[in-house]
Amino acid sequence: MRIKSLITERIKQPKQRVKTVGKRELISWFFLLPSLIGVFVFFVAPFMVIIAYSFMNNPVQKEFVGFSNFVNVWNNEAFRKAGLNTLNFSFTAVPLAVLLSLILAVVMESRIPFKSFFRSSFLSPLMVPTASIVLIWQVMFHQNGIVNNVLATLGDTSKTDWLKSDKAYVVLLTLFLWKNLGYNMILFMSALGGIPKELIEVARIESAGKFQIFWHVKLRFISPTIMFVTIMSLINSFKVFREIYLLTGDYPYDTLYMLQHYMNNKFASLDYQMLSSAAIIMFIIVSILIYFLLKFEDSYGKDVEG
């Protein structure tokens, strides 16, 4: 009888465990449900609507037109100019944002005077509202602004309207870097601080110099952070429309006309099918770029592990 009771208990134990695990999963899904509903309502459902609009002639008649909207958008001269400007800005601003913030993080690691002051000054753009930032840059780079007044005292009397000339691109690039360097720098400082000291000590014992330690130890150890900062900078470069719009309006100087300007103008004219097609093309391009970045980071990480 005792043996039978033990066998019965052993048989019941897995069933009880399954019930316990099932109960925990149900509780987990219960807590996740509000977030999942929010993601579906505010992200998945609108994206599905955009996909549907991109294959219609318009939201009223709702006639299926295949890929004609995508062809029309791709052949549109304004879209091509906006796309080239956006890619040009991203391929310039993102490497600069990653490289300069990494250099700043390495400098902040060393023993320099007023390190706390410099760190706080680089983080100050994160605490300033966008509208205030735009107002400051308008005052600085206006035709009668601070920059032209300073140049006039140095002998350059030609007043440049920075935001309506070829130099507008430099102004935007400077604004982007000023806003993002501090945040990227903090991420790199955190990654550098997490490197095991034993690795650096071993490298020093092996007579490795500072550059060799940085290149072969530190840089490889923080490669996931470099990839994260690159992806975040890439996403932020596609979101720079907000600052350009507040600085220059709907139709800025040619070099500042971005994809978001094209889509915003299509939205203003209620051309939803062209807007949706442009948004999907932009989504595909960004996804491809991020995919290749992740593949590169994955291969680089395997090389580090080896």
Side-chain angles (χ1 to χ4, degrees):
M1 292 295 292
R2 191 172 182 182
I3 295 172
K4 286 185 179 180
S5 62
L6 288 172
I7 293 172
T8 306
E9 287 178 4
R10 287 290 180 90
I11 293 171
K12 287 181 179 179
Q13 279 179 0
K15 293 181 179 179
Q16 290 174 353
R17 287 178 184 174
V18 170
K19 288 181 180 179
T20 306
V21 172
K23 203 175 192 181
R24 288 177 180 174
E25 287 182 356
L26 286 174
I27 293 171
S28 302
W29 281 107
F30 176 76
F31 282 108
L32 286 172
L33 189 61
S35 298
L36 293 175
I37 292 173
V39 169
F40 179 80
V41 172
F42 294 106
F43 291 97
V44 177
F47 188 71
M48 299 302 292
V49 171
I50 288 174
I51 293 175
Y53 280 170
S54 66
F55 292 101
M56 298 177 184
N57 61 339
N58 59 64
V60 179
Q61 296 177 346
K62 298 180 180 179
E63 293 181 6
F64 181 77
V65 294
F67 291 94
S68 61
N69 289 329
F70 293 95
V71 174
N72 293 334
V73 168
W74 190 259
N75 293 330
N76 187 277
E77 186 178 349
F79 175 81
R80 288 188 174 184
K81 180 173 70 175
L84 288 174
N85 287 341
T86 304
L87 290 176
N88 182 37
F89 179 78
S90 296
F91 287 138
T92 305
V94 172
L96 284 175
V98 176
L99 182 62
L100 293 176
S101 57
L102 180 57
I103 292 172
L104 287 172
V106 173
V107 171
M108 290 297 170
E109 257 201 328
S110 60
R111 296 178 180 178
I112 59 171
F114 307 108
K115 184 164 70 173
S116 299
F117 170 76
F118 285 120
R119 186 165 50 196
S120 302
S121 63
F122 279 111
L123 287 174
S124 59
L126 298 175
M127 299 178 284
V128 182
T130 303
S132 302
I133 292 173
V134 169
L135 180 61
I136 293 169
W137 285 77
Q138 283 177 333
V139 171
M140 289 177 61
F141 292 98
H142 191 266
Q143 191 168 5
N144 298 313
I146 297 172
V147 174
N148 283 331
N149 290 334
V150 171
L151 292 175
T153 59
L154 298 175
D156 186 3
T157 56
S158 61
K159 290 188 175 181
T160 305
D161 194 350
W162 291 80
L163 298 175
K164 296 180 181 178
S165 66
D166 293 332
K167 297 178 181 178
Y169 182 83
V170 178
V171 175
L172 177 64
L173 183 61
T174 308
L175 174 59
F176 176 81
L177 294 175
W178 181 69
K179 277 194 65 180
N180 292 277
L181 283 183
Y183 178 70
N184 294 347
M185 180 189 71
I186 292 299
L187 292 176
F188 280 131
M189 288 178 65
S190 176
L192 289 169
I195 298 175
K197 302 297 181 184
E198 296 82 5
L199 294 177
I200 299 174
E201 291 298 328
V202 169
R204 285 174 181 166
I205 292 170
E206 296 292 332
S207 302
K210 289 184 178 180
F211 178 78
Q212 291 175 320
I213 292 173
F214 175 76
W215 186 261
H216 295 288
V217 179
K218 292 184 177 181
L219 197 62
R220 292 195 164 204
F221 195 89
I222 65 171
S223 60
T225 304
I226 294 174
M227 188 54 55
F228 176 76
V229 170
T230 302
I231 292 173
M232 292 302 297
S233 299
L234 179 64
I235 293 171
N236 289 332
S237 70
F238 277 87
K239 292 164 58 179
V240 78
F241 161 75
R242 178 177 55 182
E243 286 78 13
I244 304 174
Y245 181 80
L246 292 174
L247 282 170
T248 58
D250 290 325
Y251 297 95
Y253 192 77
D254 282 352
T255 55
L256 298 185
Y257 188 74
M258 303 292 180
L259 278 173
Q260 292 89 339
H261 284 95
Y262 177 83
M263 290 188 284
N264 185 67
N265 295 335
K266 289 298 179 183
F267 177 78
S269 61
L270 303 180
D271 195 350
Y272 294 130
Q273 61 274 12
M274 299 290 279
L275 165 64
S276 301
S277 303
I280 290 175
I281 291 173
M282 181 179 174
F283 168 77
I284 292 171
I285 292 172
V286 175
S287 299
I288 291 171
L289 289 173
I290 292 176
Y291 171 78
F292 281 110
L293 286 172
L294 291 175
K295 289 292 288 183
F296 175 76
E297 196 277 332
D298 184 56
S299 61
Y300 188 77
K302 286 180 181 177
D303 180 60
V304 172
E305 289 173 5

